[in-house]
Structures are given as structure tokens and as C-alpha cells.
Amino acid sequence: GDSVTQMEGPVTLSEEAFLTINCTYTATGYPSLFWYVQYPGEGLQLLLKATKADDKGSNKGFEATYRKETTSFHLEKGSVQVSDSAVYFCALSDFYEGGSEKLVFGKGTKLTVNP
Amino acid sequence: DGGITQSPKYLFRKEGQNVTLSCEQNLNHDAMYWYRQDPGQGLRLIYYSQIVNDFQKGDIAEGYSVSREKKESFPLTVTSAQKNPTAFYLCASSDRVQETQYFGPGTRLLVL
């Protein structure tokens, strides 16, 4: 079945450093791709999404480009802040038989940004 | 404000007890979902519902039950058959056209 693999953490950076979190996927069709963020003790929030190849999702300084040729959706930010400390999940949309949608998540990457 | 609410924030279960987690949304979404999150793991789908009075098992449904009597509500019962219930439970909903799932703040279930 479809799957998502993202780089294992934890990742620790200094403030204003460049961030990359790698995400690759396996899918039989053409899924939409997502990055969700989870702050401590909270639910997940959608960070950005891309629905087709070569689309770039962006939000709050984060970017990710849907690369069909490399089956990747890497998350990047040019200058991280302490407030970006969280767990980041890569996900893709898939469908059960009968057409019902589901999300397939990676295991998450914990990011800590130090001042 | 539109959103998803989950209650309680923390829930304690005794051995052999059934407990019910609440999930309510006022986003007018047709689809609702329950996920389980364990430390260092991604989210795993327990049950989902695409429409009122209909629901399907996800990847780890054993030991859980749900109902969908109203569009706004999708309660999850953790039964005594679930032998390892300690986890963080997340409810989500989506508009099928937009595809994006929106999550509640979660309920942490602990076993006494």
C-alpha cells in the first residue's frame, strides 16, 4: 500500500538556521501531499499542501515542492525561529476501496530550535 | 468560530471499564475520523465516517467502537477489549471537496 517515509529526528538547530526535513512517498496513483505541524500537547495543524506534480505549497515561511520524478515533498525554511519548535508530519492522501479518503502519515520529525 | 472540540483533555480508565471520548465539529463537514498517536509514531486510523449513520473500520479498529447519529458528532468508545489503550487520541473532519483534514486538540487517555 501507499506509504510515507520522513527523516528521523530529532533535529536541533540554532535560530536563523536553514531547515530541511526530507519526505519521500510511495503511491500507486497521484496523491495530494501535506505537511502538518503539532505543537506540544496539541492536535495537528495543516502547514501546507500540494495537489499535483510541480506544485509548491507555502505558509509561514515554510515551503515544499511536489516532485513526482523523485517522489519527494521535502519541507524547507530559510530561517527558523524558536517558535517553530514542534513535530512535523508528512502525509499523503489515499483512498480505500469504494472511494473513501484516508491520510497516510509519516512517523514525524521533532524539531527543536535553540535561541 | 468554526472548529473541532474534543473532551475531556485527559481521561483515566480503570481495568475492564469502557470510556467514551467526545468529538464535535461545527464546520459542516461530512467526513470525520479518529486517530491514535503513540510516542514517536505517526497517526494510525481507528475509524472513519463519510456520512451520518455510516462508518468504517480503519487500520486498528479492534477494541474500539463509534457512532455517527448526528453530522456534528462522532464519539469514540474505548472498550475493555482494547488491552493497550494508553495513547493520545485525535479526531479530525474534512470537506470531501477540499480534501484537507482539520484536527481537534486531542484527548490523552491513561490507564489507572
Side-chain angles (χ1 to χ4, degrees):
Chain A
D2 294 359
S3 65
V4 174
T5 302
Q6 59 182 105
M7 64 185 286
E8 293 187 15
V11 174
T12 302
L13 296 173
S14 297
E15 206 164 24
E16 299 184 4
F18 184 85
L19 169 70
T20 298
I21 300 178
N22 290 337
C23 172
T24 57
Y25 67 90
T26 302
T28 53
Y30 301 94
S32 293
L33 301 173
F34 306 82
W35 277 101
Y36 281 86
V37 59
Q38 184 178 35
Y39 298 100
E42 298 183 7
L44 275 66
Q45 301 175 25
L46 178 67
L47 183 58
L48 51 85
K49 65 184 275 190
T51 58
K52 61 183 187 296
D54 299 325
D55 268 2
K56 177 185 284 187
S58 61
N59 186 26
K60 299 181 181 179
F62 290 89
E63 294 183 340
T65 301
Y66 191 142
R67 300 287 188 198
K68 187 171 181 293
E69 64 275 14
T70 54
T71 61
S72 65
F73 193 54
H74 305 321
L75 182 68
E76 296 181 337
K77 186 175 185 181
S79 177
V80 293
Q81 306 299 313
V82 173
S83 57
D84 294 327
S85 297
V87 180
Y88 293 81
F89 291 92
C90 185
L92 63 79
S93 63
D94 193 3
F95 291 91
Y96 287 106
E97 286 187 22
S100 300
E101 183 211 346
K102 68 173 181 177
L103 285 179
V104 177
F105 287 89
K107 291 188 175 182
T109 302
K110 183 176 182 179
L111 170 66
T112 300
V113 180
N114 294 319
Chain B
D1 287 338
I4 302 175
T5 57
Q6 291 186 242
S7 62
K9 187 171 183 179
Y10 295 95
L11 185 58
F12 298 91
R13 192 191 93 163
K14 296 179 180 178
E15 290 286 338
Q17 185 182 38
N18 293 353
V19 292
T20 297
L21 286 62
S22 169
C23 177
E24 304 277 333
Q25 56 98 358
N26 61 4
L27 299 168
N28 200 34
H29 287 168
D30 286 316
M32 297 186 74
Y33 311 81
W34 273 106
Y35 293 90
R36 171 179 171 140
Q37 185 180 24
D38 293 284
Q41 300 295 314
L43 278 67
R44 293 183 290 170
L45 183 65
I46 305 171
Y47 268 96
Y48 64 101
S49 169
Q50 297 292 299
I51 198 169
V52 175
N53 291 323
D54 187 48
F55 49 83
Q56 286 81 39
K57 294 181 179 180
D59 300 316
I60 55 164
E62 185 174 351
Y64 301 96
S65 65
V66 294
S67 63
R68 186 85 188 276
E69 298 176 0
K70 298 187 299 181
K71 187 175 184 178
E72 303 80 19
S73 179
F74 191 42
L76 173 74
T77 296
V78 184
T79 74
S80 56
Q82 173 50 246
K83 298 306 180 186
N84 184 23
T86 297
F88 191 48
Y89 290 86
L90 289 161
C91 178
S93 70
S94 69
D95 176 320
R96 295 192 69 187
V97 174
Q98 287 190 351
E99 192 175 35
T100 301
Q101 292 188 18
Y102 296 88
F103 286 79
T107 292
R108 189 166 298 280
L109 177 61
L110 301 166
V111 176
L112 294 175

